[in-house]
Amino acid sequence: MTQVSMTVNGKAASGEVEGRTLLSSFLRETLELTGTHVGCDTSQCGACVVHVNGKAVKSCSMLAVEANGAEVATIEGQAAEDGTLNTIQQAFQDHHGLQCGFCTPGMVMSTVALLKDNPKPTEADIRAYLEGNICRCTGYHNIVRAIMAASGQDVAVAAE
């Protein structure tokens, strides 16, 4: 077993892990932050996206020991302390960018990274950036609308 320590959503966190423990498992099972979803275990679906040192990563493809000493942000750290949704979360709600909600944490975390790097993305930029996130319910149309709204742009999106 190996001791790992990191800052998760601004708070110190630590625990003992086997060398093969995935970051997603550490977050969900050790820290009980179950908002990070695991949909495929093969880094294909994007439901497990978190930020490590400011970069979006699929936590099912990273070992917990690789995040030792890192700053990690999860979906649980996105809303304000009083539970008020951040701009992106609110846009997803307002524009019906979710249905079953399983992919939503990964979509929101990917969107946070996208808008940090590209504050005014085009529809094509958004669709290209989200190629690593799979949604089986929405058809992406409303997700793209939500991201356009969160970036302060017109939400008119071309039909797929």
Side-chain angles (χ1 to χ4, degrees), residues 91-134:
F92 268 70
Q93 182 176 339
D94 293 346
H95 296 279
H96 311 289
L98 53 99
Q99 282 184 16
C100 81
F102 193 82
C103 71
T104 305
M107 289 284 187
V108 168
M109 297 304 291
S110 290
T111 300
V112 169
L114 167 62
L115 296 182
K116 179 182 166 198
D117 293 341
N118 183 355
K120 299 290 183 193
T122 65
E123 179 181 346
D125 293 336
I126 294 168
R127 290 183 184 279
Y129 197 88
L130 293 181
E131 284 184 356
N133 293 77
I134 296 173

Side-chain angles (χ1 to χ4, degrees), residues 25-123:
S25 298
F26 178 72
L27 294 170
R28 291 181 57 79
E29 297 165 17
T30 304
L31 301 183
E32 298 181 353
L33 296 172
T34 57
T36 300
H37 293 163
V38 178
C40 66
D41 272 332
T42 61
S43 75
Q44 300 298 308
C45 75
C48 68
V49 172
V50 299
H51 297 178
V52 178
N53 294 329
K55 294 214 174 251
V57 300
K58 293 180 178 177
S59 62
C60 78
S61 65
M62 181 177 194
L63 297 172
V65 295
E66 293 177 291
N68 191 38
E71 295 273 340
V72 177
T74 71
I75 191 67
E76 288 89 351
Q78 298 305 299
E81 287 288 324
D82 68 359
T84 304
L85 300 178
N86 74 15
T87 302
I88 295 165
Q89 292 169 310
Q90 190 63 54
F92 268 70
Q93 182 176 339
D94 293 346
H95 296 279
H96 311 289
L98 53 99
Q99 282 184 16
C100 81
F102 193 82
C103 71
T104 305
M107 289 284 187
V108 168
M109 297 304 291
S110 290
T111 300
V112 169
L114 167 62
L115 296 182
K116 179 182 166 198
D117 293 341
N118 183 355
K120 299 290 183 193
T122 65
E123 179 181 346

